[in-house]
């Protein structure tokens, strides 16, 4: 035990484990209550049930919210990844006037409070343009906040892609377009997939912006928010949350596998996670 | 293809940066400008009065509630930042210095996962954990640590701090970790070789070199937390509400967008000024250290 | 020599920095041509201009009589072996080698045959099915070569192709590249910062400093008749001694050399031109020798002292301090059987010959 301690950083290692427990505590509680046979979200546990999961299918509003959220998440992920591809390529490969400010502005949503993004888009869309809110307004906001993450992931992809690979393809007679298709795209594909998955996950879970910009059809988090007010609905929310978290974890794991595969493809050594 | 035939490098770069750049200008820079503009207008029941006025700002600074919320928000955000960064540093240090290189990305992955799961549900679960009949109280009662449930941990600022510290943990760990990873390990060996002990090596070499990461962590936690209204709403109780709750109320419930805009501007300006101060102070500090 | 590539007045600037300052050269058909110079002198930039990856700020590049200014990289009769090899990591060896054949009219069978031939040529026969990322550095190098040569370009461009290999492998690849060039008979342009490599492999070498060609000549001429102190110093080892020169009777040049004394040089011994006055005399270490006890001097002799002995096994390098010479002279001697190695501090008789001296005016 003492050997293990000193090897792994001693008390620091113990602290790290306690910290992980702190990080994961809510996530472990989620399924605990989702399968608990009681309408009260509290200990002691009352027994096992899948009632709350089966209750999910019978709520039309929920089905609608899931559909809305999926549509928004898929569209935002595609848009953010496309914009991210352009930005990452421009940032890694080219020097141009105004590069710093432009790249900075694209990355700003990473630190901007989400309420500011929500409010400012709301002001433009409703107060100034007088347009109605809809799923599209949420997509606009989500694309904005997902793009910096896409840029960060794809930056890494482009950085680990040797410039001379593209030059070699041109040298061997390919056009810039066919070079992108034959060389660049396959080599950064893991990054693209990771970016799509991460953006999808962010959009699917995002609440604050969606709350400001959602139209007549609420997104899933907005729907959950409305349900949190009703104590008798809470077990169903727990079940829903369990499914959401499981889906997020699956997607993140896929994204991580993709990221590592990308590194391996490029023959690079792993140096850390996303961002 | 840094440059080939046809377009110059600068033109190609600009052409590529144009779509995301324009998107950010149109949907971020312009809307932020619009918020600023709107904050100088006023709401007259259902109509928007577009004459320039400082009325919203006057009201914001004279109404005690607004100032109370702003002050409390800054305090809570500051506390969250302090707690989060202090708790995060040892983790970042542990992963960077004590975890085998091939295991590092697994640790980083484990640390980031909770961050990606539904924010709303995570916050709600803290309410479950910290509540009167919550997980923490039942557990502590069960082992006989306390005789009656603790009440100071829910529906107040403490709960907000705990919940936000949890939500922003990875944001604090990652930049510190990156900064620590960049430190050339031979520098530390050199310091030891020159006769400094473990602690002095840490304070004289490691910490100053990790400072950029710590500053980044401080900013990346401090700035967004000011804009959170979900956590105060769910676990803050009446005394844990923050400025963002008021902004949200002005926009969505009171239908007074100009007032909400003015509050948003005030909140952002305060946060920016404080952030700038933090950066300046640390820059001063590290220059003196060097 | 029939010129294939003509470079005239090529300039290239990146922002405010002028990297190439007026390059003039003609490169012949079937020639093994090297661009040699210290790192940062603009070799790669020049090579990339020939390949079409950079556009010259001014000047003209023509290949086979055709102005290349409007021809994009993918349409030029050149192919390149990149410094990093740029072997496509997601493709197999055969897919890499056959990459450039995608647009050709050949049938599948013919393509496969060509690929196998190209692989055989670089000594990779039978390895077509390998994944590219599983190759060693030397093998990747060969794939890059085969991939470029299969397109039968008029010019093969090689950017420091051997610098990433270890010494043994590098020497082996040097002779193989030379053999390959003779076999296919096309023009090779090699970029290198290694003067030995350039000497071994090239028909002609352009020595570049600071974006300009300092000297363009075959290896022997470059070594024997460097046109400046800097070239002489960069190619091999050269000793320099201050000297004062005066033109005598219209033909010969009388020089007074610090440490060696007075002698007469011919005009060809001044490849950098001649002016009366102060300058320096350069001499290679192998043109000097140390006389051992009892050995007869055939040239002139200077008396000095052994200041340092560096023993290399097959050779011994002596540093000889001469009275009146500001710097020590390096002398290389073959270690023949029975020949002793002098000790540090021993008296030394240095033999030299006026015909092996080069004079550089300052
Ligand atoms: N794309 C570029 N932008 C700016 N400077 C460059 C670029 N490419 C090369 N340089 C500069 O031009 C000079 C010559 O570079 P290079 O041709 O690569 O030299 P060499 O191959 O002889 O080492 C160097 O100082 C280098 O920094
Ligand atoms: Mg180079």
């Amino acid at each position: 035990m003492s050997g293990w301690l000193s090897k792994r950083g001693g008390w620091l290692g113990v602290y790290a484990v306690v910290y992980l427990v702190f990080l994961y505590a809510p996530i472990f509680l989620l399924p605990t209550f989702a399968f608990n046979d009681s309408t009260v979200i509290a200990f002691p546990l009352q027994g096992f049930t899948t009632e709350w999961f089966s209750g999910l299918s019978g709520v039309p509003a929920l089905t609608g919210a899931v559909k809305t959220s999926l549509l928004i998440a898929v569209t935002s992920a595609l848009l953010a990844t496309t914009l991210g591809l352009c930005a990452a390529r421009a940032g890694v490969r080219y020097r141009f006037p105004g590069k710093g400010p432009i790249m900075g502005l694209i990355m700003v949503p990473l630190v901007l409070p989400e309420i500011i993004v929500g409010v400012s888009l709301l002001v433009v869309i409703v107060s100034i343009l007088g347009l109605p809110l809809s799923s599209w307004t949420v997509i606009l906001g989500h694309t904005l906040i997902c793009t910096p993450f896409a840029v960060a992931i794809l930056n890494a992809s482009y950085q680990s892609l040797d410039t001379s690979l593209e030059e070699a393809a041109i040298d061997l007679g390919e056009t810039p377009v066919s070079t992108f298709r034959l060389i660049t795209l396959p080599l950064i594909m893991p990054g693209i997939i990771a970016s799509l998955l991460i953006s999808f996950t962010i959009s699917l879970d995002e609440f604050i912006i969606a709350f400001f910009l959602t139209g007549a059809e609420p997104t899933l988090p907005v729907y959950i928010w409305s349900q949190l007010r009703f104590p008798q609905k809470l077990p169903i929310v727990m079940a829903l949350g369990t499914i959401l978290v499981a889906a997020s974890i699956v997607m993140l794991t896929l994204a991580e596998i993709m990221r590592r595969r990308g590194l391996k493809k490029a023959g690079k050594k792993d140096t850390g996670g996303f961002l | 293809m840094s440059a080939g035939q046809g377009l110059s490098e600068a033109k190609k770069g600009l052409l590529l940066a144009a779509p995301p750049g324009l998107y950010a200008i149109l949907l971020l820079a312009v809307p932020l400008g619009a918020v600023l503009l709107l904050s100088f207008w006023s709401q007259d029941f259902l109509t928007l009065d577009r004459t320039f006025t400082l009325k919203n700002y006057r009201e914001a600074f004279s109404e005690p509630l607004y100032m109370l919320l702003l002050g409390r928000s800054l305090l809570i955000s500051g506390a969250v930042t302090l707690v989060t960064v202090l708790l995060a540093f040892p983790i970042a240090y542990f992963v960077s210095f004590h975890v085998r290189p091939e295991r590092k990305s697994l640790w980083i992955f484990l640390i980031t996962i909770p961050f990606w799961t539904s924010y709303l549900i995570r916050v709600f679960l803290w309410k479950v954990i910290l509540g009167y009949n919550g997980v923490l109280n039942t557990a502590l009662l069960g082992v006989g640590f306390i005789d009656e449930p603790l009440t100071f941990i829910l529906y107040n600022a403490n709960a907000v701090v705990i919940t936000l510290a949890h939500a922003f943990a990875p944001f604090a760990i990652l930049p510190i970790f990156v900064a620590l990873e960049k430190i050339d390990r031979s520098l530390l060996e050199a310091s030891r070789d020159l006769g400094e002990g473990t602690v002095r090596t840490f304070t004289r070499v490691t910490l100053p070199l990790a400072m950029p990461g710590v500053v980044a962590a401080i900013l990346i936690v401090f700035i967004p937390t000011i804009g959170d209204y979900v956590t105060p709403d769910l676990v803050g109780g009446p005394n844990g509400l923050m400025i963002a709750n008021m902004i949200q109320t002005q926009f969505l419930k009171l239908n007074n967008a100009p007032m909400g805009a003015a509050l948003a501007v005030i909140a952002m300006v305060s946060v920016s000024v404080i952030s700038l101060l933090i950066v300046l102070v640390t820059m001063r500090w590290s220059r003196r250290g060097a | 020599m029939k010129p294939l590539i003509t470079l005239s007045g090529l300039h290239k600037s990146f922002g405010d920095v002028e990297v190439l300052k007026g390059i003039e050269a003609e490169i012949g058909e079937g020639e093994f041509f090297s661009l040699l110079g210290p790192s940062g002198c603009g070799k790669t930039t020049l090579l990339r201009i020939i390949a079409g990856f950079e556009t010259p700020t001014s000047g003209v590049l023509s290949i086979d009589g055709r102005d290349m200014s409007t021809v994009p990289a993918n349409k030029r009769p050149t192919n390149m072996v990149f410094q990093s090899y740029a072997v496509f990591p997601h493709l197999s060896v055969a897919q890499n080698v056959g990459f450039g054949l995608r647009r050709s009219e050949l049938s599948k069978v013919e393509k496969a045959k060509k690929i196998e031939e190209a692989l055989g040529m670089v000594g990779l026969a039978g390895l077509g099915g390998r994944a590219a990322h599983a190759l060693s550095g030397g093998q990747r190098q060969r794939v890059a070569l085969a991939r470029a040569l299969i397109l039968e370009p008029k010019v093969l461009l090689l950017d420091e192709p051997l610098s990433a290999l270890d010494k043994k492998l590098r020497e082996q690849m040097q002779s193989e590249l030379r053999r390959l060039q003779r076999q296919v008979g096309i023009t090779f342009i090699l970029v290198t910062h290694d003067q030995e490599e350039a000497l071994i492999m090239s028909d002609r070498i352009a020595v570049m400093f600071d974006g300009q060609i300092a000297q363009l000549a075959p290896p022997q001429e470059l070594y024997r008749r460097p046109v400046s102190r800097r070239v002489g110093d960069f190619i091999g080892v050269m000793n320099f001694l201050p000297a004062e020169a005066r033109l005598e009777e219209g033909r010969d040049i009388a020089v007074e050399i610090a440490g060696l004394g007075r002698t007469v040089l011919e005009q060809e011994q001044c490849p950098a031109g001649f002016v009366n006055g102060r300058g320096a005399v350069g001499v290679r270490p192998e043109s000097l020798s140390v006389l051992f006890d009892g050995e007869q001097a055939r040239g002139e002799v200077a008396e000095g002292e052994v200041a340092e002995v560096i023993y290399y096994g097959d050779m011994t390098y002596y540093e000889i301090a001469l009275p009146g010479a500001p710097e020590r002279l390096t002398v290389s001697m073959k270690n023949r059987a029975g020949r002793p190695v002098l000790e540090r501090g021993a008296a030394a008789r240095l033999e030299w010959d006026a015909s092996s001296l080069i004079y550089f005016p300052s």
Side-chain angles (χ1 to χ4, degrees):
Chain A
M1 183 67 196
S2 69
W4 183 86
L5 266 185
S6 60
K7 234 199 206 133
R8 288 276 168 275
W11 296 111
L12 219 44
V14 176
Y15 173 77
V17 172
V18 173
Y19 195 88
L20 277 187
V21 171
F22 166 67
L23 279 184
Y24 278 86
I27 293 174
F28 283 128
L29 284 176
L30 196 55
T32 312
F33 289 116
F35 290 107
N36 184 28
D37 193 3
S38 161
T39 48
V40 187
I41 306 296
F43 284 109
L45 299 177
Q46 300 296 323
F48 183 85
T49 179
T50 53
E51 181 193 339
W52 313 123
F53 285 91
S54 39
L56 285 175
S57 56
V59 189
L62 175 61
T63 325
V66 169
K67 275 191 192 142
T68 308
S69 266
L70 285 180
L71 173 79
I72 290 173
V74 167
T75 316
S76 306
L78 287 173
L79 284 174
T81 303
T82 310
L83 294 176
L85 263 176
C86 294
R89 187 174 178 97
V92 173
R93 287 288 153 85
Y94 298 101
R95 270 181 292 180
F96 50 92
K99 178 173 174 177
I102 295 175
M103 291 297 151
L105 182 67
I106 294 170
M107 299 306 276
V108 158
L110 210 53
V111 287
L112 208 60
E114 287 177 359
I115 190 174
I116 300 294
V117 175
V119 160
S120 61
L121 283 173
L122 186 73
V123 165
V124 168
I125 292 164
V126 176
S127 306
I128 294 184
L129 296 178
L131 297 174
L133 293 173
S134 69
S135 293
W136 281 103
T137 50
V138 183
I139 289 172
L140 289 180
H142 282 183
T143 303
L144 194 66
I145 58 160
C146 290
T147 303
F149 289 92
V151 174
I153 294 168
L154 293 166
N155 258 344
S157 299
Y158 263 112
Q159 266 156 6
S160 62
L161 179 70
D162 184 358
T163 327
S164 55
L165 290 174
E166 289 176 351
E167 285 179 348
I170 299 263
D171 189 61
L172 295 168
E174 297 296 340
T175 61
V177 174
S178 62
T179 297
F180 185 78
R181 185 168 58 81
L182 293 169
I183 303 298
T184 318
L185 207 55
L187 288 174
I188 61 171
M189 191 45 89
I192 292 178
I193 293 175
S195 160
L196 286 172
L197 288 169
I198 293 278
S199 303
F200 180 87
T201 311
I202 293 174
S203 170
L204 196 65
D205 286 341
E206 204 287 328
F207 167 69
I208 293 182
I209 292 174
F211 191 58
F212 273 91
L213 300 180
T214 203
E217 293 158 339
T219 67
L220 194 52
V222 174
Y223 172 79
I224 292 176
W225 174 258
S226 68
Q227 299 303 297
L228 289 179
R229 311 269 152 185
F230 308 111
Q232 73 275 17
K233 295 273 181 65
L234 289 184
I236 290 186
V237 171
M238 292 287 118
L240 188 56
T242 306
I243 294 172
L244 264 182
V245 167
S248 293
I249 291 178
V250 166
M251 263 179 301
L252 288 167
T253 312
L254 282 179
E256 172 73 4
I257 290 170
M258 278 300 155
R259 193 186 63 84
R260 290 188 185 191
R261 184 173 296 172
L263 285 172
K264 214 166 141 197
K265 239 186 187 172
K268 292 275 160 25
K269 260 191 74 177
D270 197 355
T271 48
F274 297 117
L275 303 179
Chain B
M1 282 186 296
S2 53
Q5 246 64 31
L7 290 178
S8 74
E9 180 183 344
K11 285 219 185 85
K12 280 187 186 169
L14 275 174
L15 212 60
L16 262 175
L22 286 178
Y23 192 89
I25 289 172
L26 288 179
L27 284 128
L28 185 64
V30 170
L32 288 177
V35 169
L36 190 62
L37 189 65
L38 184 69
S39 72
F40 292 109
W41 291 348
S42 58
Q43 189 77 31
D44 196 6
F45 291 105
L46 286 179
T47 54
L48 198 59
D49 183 355
R50 301 191 176 203
T51 45
F52 179 91
T53 169
L54 287 172
K55 172 175 157 283
N56 299 316
Y57 286 97
R58 227 175 287 130
E59 192 180 326
F61 285 110
S62 56
E63 174 70 57
L65 177 62
Y66 295 148
M67 284 300 110
L68 173 76
L69 286 178
L70 180 65
R72 183 193 288 153
S73 301
L74 293 174
L75 268 181
I76 290 182
S77 289
V80 169
T81 309
L82 193 71
V83 169
T84 311
V85 173
L86 282 182
L87 289 180
F89 193 95
I91 294 295
Y93 186 86
F94 171 75
V95 178
S96 179
F97 282 81
H98 293 287
V99 171
R100 269 186 281 140
E102 66 273 18
R103 286 284 184 80
K104 281 181 185 175
S105 62
L106 178 67
W107 270 88
I108 294 299
F109 181 61
L110 281 178
I111 287 167
T112 35
I113 275 198
F115 166 72
W116 297 106
T117 57
S118 173
Y119 172 62
L120 203 55
I121 289 182
R122 262 186 300 145
V123 176
F124 177 74
L125 282 164
W126 277 105
K127 184 169 160 169
V128 173
I129 294 174
L130 300 173
Y132 191 80
N133 285 320
V135 176
L136 196 62
N137 275 331
T138 33
L140 290 178
L141 280 172
V143 295
F145 221 75
I146 49 174
D147 294 330
E148 53 188 85
L150 305 173
T151 52
F152 65 88
I153 48 173
L154 189 62
Y155 299 128
N156 57 31
N158 293 339
V160 177
V161 172
I162 295 175
T163 308
L164 285 177
H166 178 261
F168 282 90
F171 265 159
I173 294 173
L174 285 180
I176 300 175
F177 171 75
V178 170
L180 288 172
E181 281 293 281
K182 280 195 192 141
I183 297 177
D184 184 351
R185 297 307 194 251
S186 60
L187 288 177
L188 307 182
E189 284 164 10
S191 165
R192 301 290 291 275
D193 186 58
L194 295 170
E196 294 290 31
T198 319
V199 175
R200 297 274 285 168
T201 296
F202 178 81
T203 54
R204 289 189 62 187
V205 182
T206 315
L207 199 55
L209 288 175
M211 221 44 210
V214 174
V215 173
I218 290 175
L219 298 185
I220 216 168
V221 176
F222 183 66
I223 300 175
T225 44
I226 203 89
D228 192 83
Y229 64 81
V230 175
T231 304
D233 199 320
L234 282 179
V235 303
N239 292 327
L241 288 183
M242 291 166 62
I243 189 78
N245 299 86
M246 183 50 77
I247 296 173
Q248 189 236 15
T249 307
Q250 293 288 351
F251 269 98
L252 300 182
K253 295 213 183 92
L254 301 180
N255 201 17
N256 189 351
M259 190 65 220
L263 291 176
V265 170
I266 292 171
M268 280 318 289
V269 169
S270 326
V271 171
S272 308
V273 168
I274 295 174
S275 303
L276 218 65
L277 283 178
I278 294 173
V279 172
L280 284 180
V281 166
T282 42
M283 260 168 60
R284 261 256 178 96
W285 181 82
S286 41
R287 205 174 302 143
R288 207 176 42 202
Chain C
M1 181 193 79
K2 193 173 155 225
L4 178 68
I5 298 180
T6 316
L7 312 169
S8 48
L10 281 184
H11 286 258
K12 175 70 186 177
S13 302
F14 291 112
D16 299 335
V17 190
E18 194 173 26
V19 172
L20 294 180
K21 304 168 185 168
I23 300 287
E24 303 278 347
E26 282 193 339
I27 301 168
E29 223 171 81
E31 188 176 23
F32 200 123
F33 189 92
S34 290
L35 292 168
L36 171 67
S39 163
C41 70
K43 309 177 296 286
T44 297
T45 305
L46 182 54
L47 200 72
R48 289 170 59 82
I49 286 177
I50 298 173
F53 295 126
E54 305 281 2
T55 329
T57 314
S58 66
V60 178
L61 157 75
S62 61
I63 301 179
D64 218 6
R66 229 178 116 203
D67 180 5
M68 286 287 129
S69 55
T70 56
V71 184
N74 51 347
K75 298 280 190 325
R76 292 196 184 186
T78 60
N79 281 118
M80 184 133 160
V81 174
F82 289 83
Q83 187 165 12
S84 60
Y85 311 144
V87 170
F88 305 127
H90 59 305
L91 302 180
S92 72
V93 168
Q95 284 170 324
N96 261 285
V97 173
F99 190 85
L101 297 179
R102 193 173 76 90
R103 286 158 186 268
S104 87
E105 315 266 275
L106 299 176
S107 73
K108 257 206 167 114
V109 181
E110 286 169 316
K111 281 183 187 172
K113 199 169 144 246
K114 271 197 103 158
I115 292 171
E116 204 42 51
E117 268 172 29
L119 284 173
M121 194 159 64
V122 296
L124 289 179
L127 290 185
R130 282 266 180 98
H133 60 78
L135 297 178
S136 71
Q139 287 172 321
R140 251 182 266 187
Q141 160 92 77
R142 289 159 196 264
V143 170
L145 262 172
R147 183 176 74 180
L149 286 174
I150 202 172
L151 297 179
E152 296 164 16
K154 293 208 168 81
V155 188
L156 185 72
L157 307 170
L158 305 109
D159 189 1
E160 310 232 4
L162 308 177
S163 62
L165 304 179
D166 60 49
K167 193 164 179 285
K168 268 254 158 62
L169 195 54
R170 189 163 62 229
E171 282 166 3
Q172 185 192 337
M173 283 308 293
Q174 281 169 358
S175 57
E176 250 182 82
L177 267 182
R178 188 71 240 227
R179 176 189 60 76
L180 209 58
Q181 193 264 339
R182 292 217 180 90
Q183 186 186 331
V184 297
I186 63 171
T187 305
F188 276 34
I189 303 181
L190 172 83
V191 159
T192 179
H193 65 265
D194 181 345
Q195 45 97 15
E196 203 177 321
E197 184 169 295
L199 290 176
I200 292 171
M201 301 172 73
S202 321
D203 294 322
R204 286 194 308 151
I205 300 170
V207 180
M208 286 180 69
F209 296 123
D210 307 323
Q212 286 174 316
I213 295 182
Q215 186 170 7
L216 201 171
Q220 288 204 17
E221 188 185 330
L222 204 60
Y223 190 79
R224 292 208 184 130
R225 296 270 178 270
V227 296
S228 68
R229 264 186 81 152
R230 198 162 175 202
V231 173
D233 206 21
F234 190 73
I235 311 285
V237 179
M238 192 169 241
N239 296 296
F240 294 100
L241 289 170
E244 192 154 355
R246 191 162 32 77
L247 195 61
E248 237 170 37
E249 290 160 26
R251 249 197 69 74
D252 289 344
I253 295 152
V255 282
E256 171 78 37
I257 307 166
L260 294 182
R262 193 181 288 269
T263 190
V264 175
L265 304 182
E266 292 178 19
Q267 286 211 326
E268 308 94 86
Q269 286 171 272
C270 304
F274 174 79
V275 281
N276 277 329
R278 299 201 66 81
V281 151
V283 58
R284 298 282 183 195
E286 69 276 9
S287 303
L288 300 170
S289 47
V290 174
L291 291 175
F292 295 92
D293 287 340
E295 271 185 311
Q296 278 291 317
R298 273 158 300 170
E300 311 201 37
V301 173
E303 303 281 343
E305 188 189 291
V306 177
E308 191 64 79
V309 182
I310 304 152
Y311 181 73
Y312 271 87
D314 60 335
M315 307 278 283
T316 303
Y317 280 76
Y318 295 101
E319 285 183 12
I320 308 291
L322 291 180
E327 276 170 57
R328 297 167 178 179
L329 292 182
T330 303
V331 180
S332 66
M333 299 290 294
K334 267 233 157 56
N335 288 333
R336 298 222 184 84
R339 183 182 270 182
V341 174
L342 293 180
E343 301 267 315
R344 207 154 67 95
R349 287 195 298 144
L350 181 76
E351 185 189 37
W352 60 282
D353 183 356
S355 68
S356 61
L357 304 182
I358 307 273
Y359 179 76
F360 301 102
S362 52

